[in-house]
Amino acid sequence: MSAAVLRVENLVKTYGEGDALVRALRGVSLDVERGDYVAIMGASGSGKSTLMNILGCLDVPSEGRYLIDGTDVGSLDEHQLAVLRNRKIGFVFQSFNLIPRMSALANVELPLTYGGVGAAERRARALEALGRVGLADRVHHDPNELSGGQQQRVAVARALVTAPALLLADEPTGNLDTMSTRDVLDIMDRLSESGRTIVIITHEDDVAARAKRIIRLVDGEIVEDRRQAPVEGPPPRPAAQTSAPLPGNGSGPPRGAGGDHDERPACEVRSR
């Protein structure tokens, strides 16, 4: 691993004033190196969601400094921040945040559309990304025609399609059943093996067990920052289809990226 993809220095975030003042973050500092796989954990009210919003350039700190891929976020205006989010950060949310009346392919193309990428290149890159997550045969399905696990895999493909410096996942398995959770985590494992930088926000120990490093927050402060040998997922089940391999992987689709276990369409999730 080389230079830090993200660096935060003495981040402080407060809300309100006087007696109603809330200190969500109290001087948080950390570096995430290129190719790292970090799980940020904490109970409700620990500050992990506030930190996630700052790392994703969705909020700004009250004090402190944040750099992503060498760029000081505090020096950017709103337009520059929007460009940085589009090009440098791939988001995966608990609620998928797919556009209901757009196909899986169109949903994955969306960040490239905002980025001004031409139609032919958009389609090629989106198809490749969907193949990586084992959905080459679902590209023309709308979200309400996909199971919850498949919807989250579309969201992962959308996050990857811009080749971001950082993949930022907020409770990505929170709405999934056990088997679909395994599928998504297996894909994250493969992405990590291929050198992708991943930060995942979670309160689940089995999700954090897949990461290389665990950071734990309590009352807005880091109380634990340790490295671990990631727990490998179970052996892959037979794939229902053949998909393009992840970069840096010898052959075959991501582990567990074959047929989904709950084929009932999940409830339609509207974007925020």
Side-chain angles (χ1 to χ4, degrees):
M1 293 185 294
S2 54
V5 169
L6 69 85
R7 170 169 294 165
V8 297
E9 301 173 349
N10 298 312
L11 286 190
V12 173
K13 182 65 179 182
T14 59
Y15 300 97
E17 299 178 345
D19 293 339
L21 183 70
V22 175
R23 293 180 174 86
L25 294 177
R26 302 168 182 257
V28 170
S29 296
L30 66 95
D31 285 0
V32 174
E33 305 295 323
R34 197 169 306 280
D36 212 350
Y37 183 1
V38 180
I40 297 178
M41 303 190 72
S44 177
S46 65
K48 69 181 188 298
S49 295
T50 300
L51 180 58
M52 192 276 304
N53 287 334
I54 292 174
L55 296 182
C57 300
L58 302 172
D59 198 0
V60 296
S62 305
E63 300 175 28
R65 192 164 176 244
Y66 172 37
L67 293 89
I68 179 165
D69 215 20
T71 300
D72 187 340
V73 173
S75 67
L76 305 181
D77 61 26
E78 285 299 321
H79 173 72
Q80 291 170 324
L81 275 175
V83 171
L84 182 141
R85 281 192 297 267
N86 179 266
R87 296 180 180 176
K88 297 288 187 181
I89 305 171
F91 294 95
V92 181
F93 298 100
Q94 178 177 342
S95 56
F96 319 140
N97 284 11
L98 302 178
I99 307 300
R101 286 168 292 280
M102 293 175 64
S103 68
L105 181 62
N107 268 283
V108 175
E109 285 184 323
L110 203 56
L112 299 176
T113 302
Y114 293 147
V117 177
E121 184 180 350
R122 282 201 313 267
R123 174 155 294 220
R125 288 169 64 176
L127 287 171
E128 180 187 10
L130 284 163
R132 290 179 185 179
V133 299
L135 291 177
D137 62 345
R138 297 287 196 274
V139 298
H140 298 300
H141 287 63
D142 288 350
N144 65 356
E145 299 172 316
L146 301 174
S147 70
Q150 289 170 335
Q151 288 189 55
Q152 191 61 297
R153 284 194 265 156
V154 173
V156 172
R158 181 185 59 192
L160 294 174
V161 76
T162 59
L166 172 67
L167 183 64
L168 185 59
D170 182 20
E171 301 280 6
T173 62
N175 284 340
L176 304 181
D177 62 30
T178 301
M179 300 297 257
S180 294
T181 290
R182 191 185 79 172
D183 285 348
V184 170
L185 293 178
D186 285 349
I187 291 170
M188 293 290 185
D189 287 350
R190 286 294 182 89
L191 291 171
S192 177
E193 290 166 8
S194 71
R196 185 71 59 182
T197 306
I198 302 171
V199 173
I200 187 167
I201 311 296
T202 184
H203 66 277
E204 300 179 53
D205 289 335
D206 58 337
V207 174
R210 298 289 194 100
K212 299 174 183 175
R213 177 182 174 196
I214 292 180
I215 294 172
R216 195 177 301 273
L217 293 175
V218 174
D219 294 335
E221 297 180 304
I222 294 176
V223 298
E224 180 182 26
D225 185 347
R226 63 178 172 87
R227 293 208 165 270
Q228 64 179 5
V231 174
E232 294 187 1
R237 290 164 288 112
Q241 62 190 57
T242 300
S243 303
L246 286 169
N249 180 37
S251 62
R255 286 173 290 171
D260 266 83
H261 313 281
D262 180 7
E263 289 303 328
R264 296 170 298 171
C267 294
E268 190 173 88
V269 180
R270 297 187 179 275
S271 61
R272 295 173 184 171

